[in-house]
């Protein structure tokens, strides 16, 4: 599988309203040094919704350049406009990404047939590995296992899915519907190990922004058959996973990275700083894991 293990859904650092290239490169370098298995720029966690087209391309370009082939880069390239998704995926291919992550169309509320035609159109237009991203909680749209199975069998370059329903019943159906070797990646840290236990291939992680070594170790332990130790680490990290979602992602994780001294705390509206009560909860979790003093 091209995409497996722990892949970080990278935040996009900002400073004075612009992308903080220095902090971003340092974050990528730290991720690789800590053993992360892959990088995902310009997803939900990367605040892709508020990046300009120029920023979007620059953020992907920096990630590919900094990774320098050491780990795969799965570039966010989706849209609720099929032609725009094709344009972004073509850019990702030209820039040298290993694949493109494609969000299900949000707001439009397409039917399952519409979803099939959307992803098939992209697959036919862009000859590169493609990974749909299913997160109904954000898009109001659920790519069902039967539809994904059609796509996986009809489009050889659709090679995986980021499955972020948090529903292991749907995860199990998804794995069963897709061909052998299809990469089913959890989109929720707290379901990473459970999904791998039924045939998933890894996780596109928020928590790994702040604990890349621990998340990559979790996946390595599972792959090595060290299930008891993998379960122990899963439970150790569970409350930290929850802390990453006390408010809308990426507010907590960017706050954590700022507290750790890895970047400025800067979000783009309509996202705003963490509430005082949740900030106290987050600091407690970070201290518990030795991430801050």
């Amino acid at each position: 599988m091209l995409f497996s293990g722990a892949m970080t859904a990278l935040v996009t650092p900002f400073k004075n309203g612009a992308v903080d290239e220095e902090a971003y490169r340092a974050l990528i370098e730290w991720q690789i040094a800590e053993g992360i298995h892959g990088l995902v720029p310009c997803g939900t966690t990367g605040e892709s919704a508020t990046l300009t087209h120029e920023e979007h391309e620059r953020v992907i370009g920096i990630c590919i350049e900094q990774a320098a082939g050491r780990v795969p880069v799965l570039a966010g390239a989706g849209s609720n406009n099929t032609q725009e998704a094709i344009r972004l995926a073509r850019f990702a291919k030209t820039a040298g990404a290993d694949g493109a992550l494609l969000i299900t169309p949000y707001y439009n509320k397409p039917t399952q047939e519409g979803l099939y035609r959307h992803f098939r159109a992209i697959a036919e237009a862009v000859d590169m590995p493609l990974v749909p991203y299913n997160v109904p909680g954000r898009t109001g749209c659920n790519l069902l296992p039967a539809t994904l199975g059609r796509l996986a069998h009809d489009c050889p370059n659709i090679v995986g899915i980021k499955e972020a329903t948090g529903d292991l019943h749907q995860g199990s159906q998804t794995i069963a519907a897709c061909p052998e070797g299809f990469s089913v990646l959890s989109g929720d840290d707290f379901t990473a190990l459970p999904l791998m236990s039924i045939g998933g291939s890894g996780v596109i992680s928020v928590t790994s922004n702040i604990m890349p070594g621990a998340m990559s170790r979790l996946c390595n332990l599972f792959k090595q058959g060290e299930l008891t130790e993998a379960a122990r680490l899963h439970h150790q990290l569970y409350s930290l996973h929850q802390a990453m979602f006390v408010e809308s992602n990426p507010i907590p994780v960017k706050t954590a990275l700022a507290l750790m001294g890895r970047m400025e705390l800067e979000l783009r509206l309509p996202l705003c700083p963490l509430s005082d009560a949740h900030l106290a909860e987050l600091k407690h979790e970070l201290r518990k894991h030795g991430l801050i003093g």
Side-chain angles (χ1 to χ4, degrees):
M1 292 181 183
L2 179 59
F3 306 116
S4 63
M7 304 182 70
T8 298
L10 290 166
V11 304
T12 303
F14 299 124
K15 188 174 183 179
N16 300 322
V19 174
D20 186 346
E21 181 172 327
E22 182 179 353
Y24 188 48
R25 288 185 183 275
L27 178 65
I28 291 166
E29 201 59 36
W30 179 57
Q31 293 283 319
I32 295 171
E34 287 285 303
I36 206 68
H37 301 124
L39 299 167
V40 185
C42 291
T44 303
T45 312
E47 293 176 84
S48 57
T50 51
L51 296 178
T52 67
H53 286 169
E54 293 76 16
E55 288 174 329
H56 187 111
E57 293 179 0
R58 182 62 183 148
V59 167
I60 288 172
I62 292 169
C63 185
I64 293 166
E65 181 183 313
Q66 193 67 32
R70 290 174 289 174
V71 296
V73 174
L74 180 62
S79 173
N80 63 342
N81 175 334
T82 305
Q83 291 305 310
E84 174 69 0
I86 289 171
R87 186 194 73 78
L88 289 168
R90 282 177 173 157
F91 168 79
K93 180 181 179 181
T94 301
D98 297 283
L101 183 70
L102 305 169
I103 188 74
T104 51
Y106 41 89
Y107 190 77
N108 312 51
K109 296 184 71 173
T111 63
Q112 293 300 304
E113 181 62 25
L115 287 170
Y116 174 83
R117 295 185 186 194
H118 170 79
F119 287 113
R120 181 160 185 163
I122 301 167
E124 289 176 345
V126 188
D127 184 18
M128 75 180 303
L130 303 174
V131 177
Y133 173 16
N134 190 35
V135 57
R138 281 190 179 260
T139 64
C141 166
N142 191 0
L143 179 60
L144 295 177
T147 306
L148 181 66
R150 276 180 74 194
L151 287 164
H153 285 93
D154 294 349
C155 308
N157 57 329
I158 294 181
V159 300
I161 185 168
K162 180 180 178 183
E163 168 51 42
T165 61
D167 181 351
L168 289 176
H169 178 63
Q170 179 160 331
S172 186
Q173 290 180 318
T174 294
I175 291 164
C178 294
E180 188 175 350
F182 191 83
S183 182
V184 178
L185 296 154
S186 172
D188 302 291
D189 284 288
F190 49 86
T191 63
L193 184 60
L195 191 64
M196 286 192 289
S197 76
I198 57 171
S201 55
V203 59
I204 296 179
S205 171
V206 174
T207 301
S208 61
N209 276 282
I210 60 173
M211 291 194 76
M215 289 306 298
S216 57
R217 183 166 179 261
L218 177 72
C219 294
N220 291 340
L221 286 168
F222 180 82
K223 186 176 180 181
Q224 293 159 9
E226 300 285 345
L227 304 186
T228 301
E229 187 62 17
R232 187 199 65 78
L233 184 54
H234 163 82
H235 289 295
Q236 180 183 321
L237 293 170
Y238 199 84
S239 60
L240 186 63
H241 298 331
Q242 291 179 303
M244 293 298 96
F245 292 90
V246 290
E247 291 181 16
S248 299
N249 178 46
I251 297 170
V253 70
K254 288 193 91 171
T255 304
L257 284 163
L259 290 168
M260 292 165 64
R262 294 199 170 271
M263 62 188 60
E264 301 291 327
L265 177 54
E266 191 167 320
L267 300 147
R268 283 187 174 171
L269 286 171
L271 298 184
C272 64
L274 202 61
S275 68
D276 289 342
H278 286 147
L279 179 59
E281 290 178 31
L282 178 63
K283 286 180 176 178
H284 172 74
E285 281 299 320
L286 296 178
R287 289 192 186 102
K288 190 167 76 174
H289 291 274
L291 298 174
I292 62 173

